[in-house]
Coordinates of all heavy atoms in Angstrom, one line a residue:
P296 N -10.2 -6.8 4.1 CA -10.2 -8.1 4.8 C -8.8 -8.4 5.4 O -7.8 -7.9 4.8 CB -10.5 -9.1 3.7 CG -11.1 -8.3 2.6 CD -10.5 -6.9 2.7
S378 N -25.6 -8.1 -8.6 CA -24.7 -8.7 -7.7 C -23.6 -7.8 -7.3 O -23.4 -6.8 -8.1 CB -24.2 -10.0 -8.2 OG -22.8 -9.9 -8.6
V379 N -22.9 -8.0 -6.3 CA -21.9 -7.1 -5.8 C -20.6 -7.3 -6.5 O -19.6 -6.7 -6.1 CB -21.8 -7.1 -4.3 CG1 -21.1 -5.8 -3.8 CG2 -23.2 -7.1 -3.7
A380 N -20.5 -8.1 -7.5 CA -19.2 -8.4 -8.1 C -19.1 -7.3 -9.3 O -20.0 -7.0 -10.0 CB -19.2 -9.8 -8.7
N386 N -13.0 -6.7 -8.7 CA -13.4 -6.1 -7.4 C -12.8 -6.8 -6.2 O -12.8 -8.0 -6.2 CB -15.0 -6.2 -7.4 CG -15.6 -5.6 -6.2 OD1 -14.9 -5.4 -5.2 ND2 -16.8 -5.3 -6.3
G387 N -12.3 -6.0 -5.3 CA -11.6 -6.5 -4.2 C -12.5 -7.4 -3.3 O -12.0 -8.2 -2.5
V388 N -13.8 -7.3 -3.4 CA -14.6 -8.0 -2.4 C -14.5 -9.5 -2.6 O -14.6 -10.0 -3.7 CB -16.1 -7.6 -2.6 CG1 -16.9 -8.3 -1.7 CG2 -16.2 -6.1 -2.4
E389 N -14.1 -10.2 -1.6 CA -14.0 -11.6 -1.7 C -15.1 -12.2 -0.9 O -15.0 -12.5 0.3 CB -12.7 -12.1 -1.2 CG -11.6 -11.7 -2.3 CD -10.2 -12.1 -1.9 OE1 -10.0 -12.5 -0.8 OE2 -9.3 -11.8 -2.7
D390 N -16.2 -12.4 -1.5 CA -17.4 -12.8 -0.8 C -17.9 -14.1 -1.4 O -18.1 -14.1 -2.6 CB -18.5 -11.7 -1.0 CG -19.7 -12.0 -0.1 OD1 -19.8 -13.2 0.3 OD2 -20.4 -11.1 0.2
A391 N -18.0 -15.1 -0.6 CA -18.3 -16.4 -1.1 C -19.7 -16.4 -1.8 O -19.9 -17.1 -2.8 CB -18.3 -17.4 0.0
D392 N -20.6 -15.5 -1.4 CA -21.9 -15.5 -1.9 C -22.0 -14.8 -3.3 O -22.9 -14.9 -4.0 CB -22.9 -14.7 -1.0 CG -22.7 -15.0 0.4 OD1 -22.5 -16.2 0.7 OD2 -22.6 -14.1 1.2
A393 N -21.0 -14.0 -3.6 CA -21.1 -13.2 -4.8 C -19.9 -13.6 -5.7 O -18.9 -13.1 -5.7 CB -20.9 -11.7 -4.5
S394 N -20.2 -14.6 -6.5 CA -19.2 -15.1 -7.4 C -19.3 -14.3 -8.7 O -20.3 -14.3 -9.4 CB -19.3 -16.6 -7.6 OG -19.5 -16.9 -8.9
P395 N -18.2 -13.7 -9.1 CA -18.2 -12.9 -10.4 C -18.6 -13.8 -11.6 O -19.3 -13.3 -12.5 CB -16.8 -12.4 -10.5 CG -16.1 -12.7 -9.2 CD -16.9 -13.8 -8.5
A396 N -18.2 -15.1 -11.5 CA -18.5 -15.9 -12.7 C -20.0 -16.2 -12.8 O -20.5 -16.4 -13.9 CB -17.7 -17.2 -12.5
A397 N -20.7 -16.1 -11.7 CA -22.1 -16.5 -11.7 C -22.9 -15.5 -12.5 O -24.0 -15.8 -12.9 CB -22.6 -16.6 -10.3
D398 N -22.4 -14.2 -12.6 CA -23.3 -13.3 -13.4 C -22.5 -12.6 -14.5 O -21.8 -11.6 -14.3 CB -23.9 -12.3 -12.4 CG -22.8 -11.7 -11.5 OD1 -21.6 -12.0 -11.7 OD2 -23.2 -11.0 -10.5
H586 N -14.9 -7.5 7.5 CA -14.4 -8.5 6.5 C -14.2 -7.9 5.1 O -14.0 -8.6 4.2 CB -15.4 -9.7 6.5 CG -15.6 -10.2 7.9 ND1 -16.8 -10.1 8.5 CD2 -14.8 -10.9 8.7 CE1 -16.7 -10.6 9.7 NE2 -15.5 -11.1 9.8
G587 N -14.5 -6.6 5.0 CA -14.3 -6.0 3.7 C -15.5 -6.1 2.8 O -15.4 -5.7 1.6
R588 N -16.6 -6.5 3.3 CA -17.8 -6.6 2.5 C -18.6 -5.3 2.6 O -18.5 -4.6 3.6 CB -18.7 -7.7 3.0 CG -18.3 -9.1 2.6 CD -19.4 -10.0 2.7 NE -19.8 -10.4 4.0 CZ -19.4 -11.5 4.6 NH1 -18.6 -12.4 4.0 NH2 -19.7 -11.8 5.9
P589 N -19.3 -4.9 1.6 CA -20.0 -3.6 1.6 C -21.2 -3.7 2.6 O -21.8 -4.7 2.7 CB -20.5 -3.4 0.2 CG -20.5 -4.7 -0.4 CD -19.4 -5.5 0.3

Side-chain angles (χ1 to χ4, degrees):
S378 104
V379 195
N386 179 338
V388 180
E389 286 176 358
D390 188 340
D392 320 313
S394 120
D398 46 12
H586 306 107
R588 283 202 285 261

